[in-house]
Amino acid sequence: MTSRWPTALDQSLSTIDLYESHTERKHYDNRANLYAIIMATEHLERAYAQDCVTNAEYTTECNKLISQFKIAESALGKNESTESFMKNYQMDCQRAVNRLLIMGVPESLRSSDDGDRALTVATTVANFITAMDVLKLEQLDVDVLLPHLIDLRNSLVQISGTPKDWGPMQKVENWLVKLNFMRAHDRIDENDSRQLYLDLDSAYSEFNQYLKTKR
């Protein structure tokens, strides 16, 4: 008697793997991550333009996406740009291009009354988040960490009215000195990684406390 229910797939059939090594899997994961960030940014920008999210919600999420994009873009390598990646995958995301590649900060901060200060603060926040996310992803090579810490130091310098011995600046400067004594292909160990993350987290909290005193 023939069953009216569909038969299970033949388990003996061979499966098709998308990758053959850990390196190849990481390559596909990185590309999938970049694709997701671009699409999420496009949808967030549309939602903001249609007044479907508040300024606070938009600013928080946009800052996160910008920081995540910086890390994901660096994983593409030197032989491919974000533009060519988007063209290859037929991504029509002009709002995301404008936000991630051209403006680099949330629209809500660009259009605020105190525009220059807001842009500086937004850039600094994004640099803090990016530097800490790099550590979370265990990208511990000196030539990866150093540019992010330099960006953070440069944005902290632009915060007006800070004392010479300002904690956030001192913490970042101390790590820059240490990393500059290392070679580009060196990696910091787990203990240094945890300490750097702790110092950045502490500096970020102190930075936010300083901003509250200036409101």
Side-chain angles (χ1 to χ4, degrees):
M1 180 177 178
T2 304
S3 173
R4 62 191 180 90
W5 301 106
T7 57
L9 291 175
D10 186 351
Q11 298 299 320
S12 66
L13 294 177
S14 60
T15 59
I16 300 175
D17 294 326
L18 294 177
Y19 46 84
E20 297 180 353
S21 66
H22 175 73
T23 301
E24 194 172 345
R25 176 178 181 176
K26 187 177 180 180
H27 169 77
Y28 284 118
D29 285 346
N30 288 338
R31 299 176 79 80
N33 188 40
L34 179 59
Y35 186 97
I37 291 169
I38 294 171
M39 291 302 300
T41 304
E42 181 73 12
H43 289 303
L44 178 64
E45 291 296 316
R46 289 180 180 179
Y48 182 67
Q50 295 169 9
D51 204 23
C52 296
V53 292
T54 66
N55 271 5
E57 291 170 336
Y58 166 78
T59 302
T60 299
E61 293 305 315
C62 193
N63 269 327
K64 287 180 182 178
L65 288 168
I66 291 170
S67 299
Q68 292 167 354
F69 170 74
K70 290 180 181 179
I71 299 172
E73 185 183 39
S74 65
L76 274 181
K78 298 179 181 179
N79 296 325
E80 185 175 14
S81 65
T82 300
E83 292 89 342
S84 62
F85 173 86
M86 294 180 66
K87 184 177 181 180
N88 185 40
Y89 288 98
Q90 300 180 357
M91 301 181 71
D92 184 15
C93 301
Q94 292 306 309
R95 290 180 175 86
V97 169
N98 182 65
R99 187 62 49 218
L100 298 172
L101 296 177
I102 300 175
M103 297 304 177
V105 293
E107 182 63 27
S108 54
L109 298 181
R110 289 187 67 254
S111 56
S112 65
D113 293 335
D114 190 7
D116 290 341
R117 181 175 183 275
L119 283 174
T120 301
V121 170
T123 301
T124 307
V125 168
N127 287 336
F128 264 117
I129 295 172
T130 301
M132 289 189 285
D133 281 349
V134 165
L135 293 169
K136 288 180 182 178
L137 294 172
E138 298 183 353
Q139 297 183 12
L140 307 180
D141 297 292
V142 171
D143 61 352
V144 173
L145 291 170
L146 200 54
H148 294 299
L149 291 182
I150 290 173
D151 286 344
L152 177 55
R153 188 271 311 277
N154 290 344
S155 59
L156 284 170
V157 168
Q158 298 178 48
I159 302 296
S160 61
T162 59
K164 291 183 178 180
D165 59 347
W166 193 35
M169 180 64 75
Q170 283 192 326
K171 288 182 173 70
V172 174
E173 288 283 5
N174 288 341
W175 277 101
L176 283 173
V177 170
K178 179 169 183 170
L179 294 179
N180 275 315
F181 274 104
M182 300 172 70
R183 293 171 295 181
H185 65 270
D186 287 342
R187 286 172 61 87
I188 63 173
D189 60 25
E190 182 180 352
N191 289 334
D192 276 345
S193 173
R194 293 175 65 179
Q195 187 61 53
L196 175 54
Y197 187 89
L198 181 65
D199 286 346
L200 288 175
D201 188 52
S202 173
Y204 186 46
S205 296
E206 190 173 345
F207 166 75
N208 283 316
Q209 288 298 321
Y210 174 80
L211 293 180
K212 289 179 182 178
T213 65
K214 297 299 179 179
R215 289 178 180 173

